[in-house]
Amino acid sequence: MTATLAAAGLRLGALEVESPVVLAPMAGITNAAYRRLCLDQMRAQGPEGLFVCEMITSRGLVEGDPTTRAMLAFDEAETTRSVQLYGTDPTCVGEATRILCEEYGVAHVDLNFGCPVPKVTRKGGGAALPWKRGLLGRILDRAVAAAAPYDVPVTMKTRKGIDEDHLTHLDAGRIAQESGVAAIALHGRTALQGYSGVADWDSIAELVAHVDIPVLGNGDIWEASDALAMVERTGAVGVVVGRGCLGRPWLFRDLAAAFAGQEVATLPRLGEVAAMLRRHAELLCRHMGEERGCKEMRKHVTWYLKGFSAGGPLRHALALTSTLAELDALLGELDPEEPFPTQILGAPRGRQGGPRKGVALPEGWLDEADGSHLADGALVEDAAETSGG
């Protein structure tokens, strides 16, 4: 399968994506409601990108875990179903891929090998797994073979490596290419960095030069201009956007415009931001019910209001709403004409933290870099693991 950038679009096997922009799966964020919100923003501009469901585990799906199955919810407006799958066992990943294609009608499966969370890497998963080249190859082979009868492309997302002394991205790219993976996305940080520091875009360019399959870049895309700069600097065919869109779903409208060579929209005033926040809450309530939807909305409030002058008591009250009526009353207290705070443009959003002292790994994990001795089932992930990478 191949992917090409043409007319600001992306082709992944049989799947054609109008804009080379991918929404990164984020736990507790990229549910059906948020994907619909971002999708509407892109559609208002024209070309449409790819919006990936929250990451689910292969074990949870295969074993019928209710939480995992519930996460596979899609909005009626989503015409392209895309899911990120996490797993450490080749047989389980293959079976989960088949289930996604056959039972859920997905058009794209992405495999996560980028999660830096200790509870994941400690079991050999996420960003730790590509160190075992043989195991990585077996997982990719099984997934691609399982998806092939349905003509569904399989992609993978990874990081530079475990740390600067144990880099894996070039070997991972080679193995992905040999396995028939349609494209590889690279987050330009190591697992040791977590989400701290600055993403190494040069590592993305290095991977582009190393493989024949398309590479998508991830890391530090805070504005539409960053996405264009990354593509120009690295040669990547597109971008994967994560934390930069938190509280800013209109970023996808701007990205669509930027890649289409059009002028990026004017920054929204507080009234427009409040309307977007309200729409987000409405969609959450539609998919989850009002009580749960309002609770889910609370964590987004800080991101939406970042940089605006809304006082502490109002922000606190907004983060405690339980009904849409309460939310409406509080939003009515905001100044709709307040301009967007340009001083926060380009500033990081979401989790950051500092670099870690070390990466949690299985005992002896770094002793050899093949993993061929690891039998299927030797590594077992938590069925309900929902971290991202």
Side-chain angles (χ1 to χ4, degrees), residues 33 280-297 321-324:
H280 191 172
E282 177 189 336
L283 288 167
L284 283 169
C285 292
R286 179 189 301 176
H287 281 278
M288 302 177 177
E290 186 169 24
E291 182 179 2
R292 183 185 168 197
C294 286
K295 287 182 179 179
E296 285 288 324
M297 190 64 213
T321 55
S322 298
T323 67
L324 289 175

Side-chain angles (χ1 to χ4, degrees), residues 75-96:
D75 189 90
E76 65 272 11
E78 293 185 89
T79 55
T80 302
R81 295 185 173 188
S82 172
V83 176
Q84 188 179 74
L85 190 63
Y86 161 72
T88 56
D89 174 65
T91 299
C92 196
V93 171
E95 176 61 10

Side-chain angles (χ1 to χ4, degrees), residues 269-283 285 294 297-298 300-306 308-311 313-338:
R269 293 183 178 275
L270 183 53
E272 297 172 82
V273 173
M276 194 76 66
L277 189 160
R278 176 57 168 78
R279 174 60 173 163
H280 191 172
E282 177 189 336
L283 288 167
C285 292
C294 286
M297 190 64 213
R298 294 173 181 176
H300 295 272
V301 170
T302 299
W303 295 322
Y304 275 104
L305 298 182
K306 184 174 182 178
F308 286 104
S309 61
L314 178 56
R315 289 171 184 262
H316 181 70
L318 281 165
L320 294 176
T321 55
S322 298
T323 67
L324 289 175
E326 291 176 9
L327 180 64
D328 288 338
L330 292 169
L331 291 177
E333 297 181 28
L334 297 172
D335 176 9
E337 295 304 316
E338 182 178 346

Side-chain angles (χ1 to χ4, degrees), residues 45-382:
Q45 184 64 39
E48 184 177 320
L50 190 61
F51 299 85
V52 188
C53 179
E54 296 173 90
M55 186 191 80
I56 63 168
T57 70
S58 56
R59 180 184 167 203
L61 182 57
V62 171
E63 294 182 357
D65 174 65
T67 300
T68 301
R69 294 273 180 165
M71 291 172 67
L72 287 169
F74 299 90
D75 189 90
E76 65 272 11
E78 293 185 89
T79 55
T80 302
R81 295 185 173 188
S82 172
V83 176
Q84 188 179 74
L85 190 63
Y86 161 72
T88 56
D89 174 65
T91 299
C92 196
V93 171
E95 176 61 10
T97 301
R98 182 199 64 78
I99 292 172
L100 287 175
C101 296
E102 185 173 295
E103 299 182 19
Y104 289 89
V106 303
H108 166 241
V109 175
D110 184 53
L111 299 181
N112 182 298
F113 299 106
C115 182
V117 176
K119 65 180 179 179
V120 171
T121 59
R122 185 177 289 114
K123 295 184 177 182
L129 196 142
W131 179 255
K132 300 298 187 185
R133 277 67 166 175
L135 178 59
L136 176 65
R138 282 159 50 205
I139 292 174
L140 295 177
D141 286 344
R142 294 288 184 89
V144 170
Y150 307 92
D151 208 12
V152 170
V154 174
T155 61
M156 68 173 285
K157 184 184 178 187
T158 190
R159 285 181 173 239
K160 286 174 58 179
I162 295 173
D163 54 37
E164 291 294 338
D165 294 324
H166 301 89
L167 299 178
T168 57
H169 61 297
L170 297 184
D171 280 339
R174 172 184 56 79
I175 295 166
Q177 180 171 304
E178 293 172 350
S179 298
V181 168
I184 179 171
L186 179 62
H187 184 159
R189 287 181 171 89
T190 63
L192 185 65
Q193 286 179 276
Y195 296 90
S196 68
V198 177
D200 177 15
W201 288 3
D202 289 340
S203 66
I204 299 170
E206 186 181 24
L207 181 59
V208 169
H210 186 71
V211 298
D212 294 327
I213 62 173
V215 176
L216 295 100
N218 176 227
D220 294 354
I221 297 176
W222 311 114
E223 310 296 338
S225 57
D226 296 326
L228 295 183
M230 174 187 277
V231 168
E232 181 177 2
R233 177 170 160 183
T234 67
V237 300
V239 296
V240 179
V241 181
R243 294 174 298 153
C245 70
L246 295 176
R248 302 175 66 212
W250 61 85
L251 177 60
F252 288 94
R253 175 189 65 198
D254 293 347
L255 287 163
F259 275 107
Q262 301 168 3
E263 184 176 350
V264 174
T266 303
L267 292 171
R269 293 183 178 275
L270 183 53
E272 297 172 82
V273 173
M276 194 76 66
L277 189 160
R278 176 57 168 78
R279 174 60 173 163
H280 191 172
E282 177 189 336
L283 288 167
L284 283 169
C285 292
R286 179 189 301 176
H287 281 278
M288 302 177 177
E290 186 169 24
E291 182 179 2
R292 183 185 168 197
C294 286
K295 287 182 179 179
E296 285 288 324
M297 190 64 213
R298 294 173 181 176
K299 62 190 169 191
H300 295 272
V301 170
T302 299
W303 295 322
Y304 275 104
L305 298 182
K306 184 174 182 178
F308 286 104
S309 61
L314 178 56
R315 289 171 184 262
H316 181 70
L318 281 165
L320 294 176
T321 55
S322 298
T323 67
L324 289 175
E326 291 176 9
L327 180 64
D328 288 338
L330 292 169
L331 291 177
E333 297 181 28
L334 297 172
D335 176 9
E337 295 304 316
E338 182 178 346
F340 191 88
T342 56
Q343 71 273 14
I344 69 167
L345 292 175
R349 288 173 171 257
R351 53 186 171 182
Q352 291 170 261
R356 297 157 188 184
K357 294 181 179 179
V359 179
L361 298 168
E363 185 176 355
W365 189 253
L366 298 178
D367 292 347
E368 59 90 26
D370 180 59
S372 294
H373 67 285
L374 293 169
D376 287 10
L379 300 175
V380 181
E381 72 270 10
D382 292 333

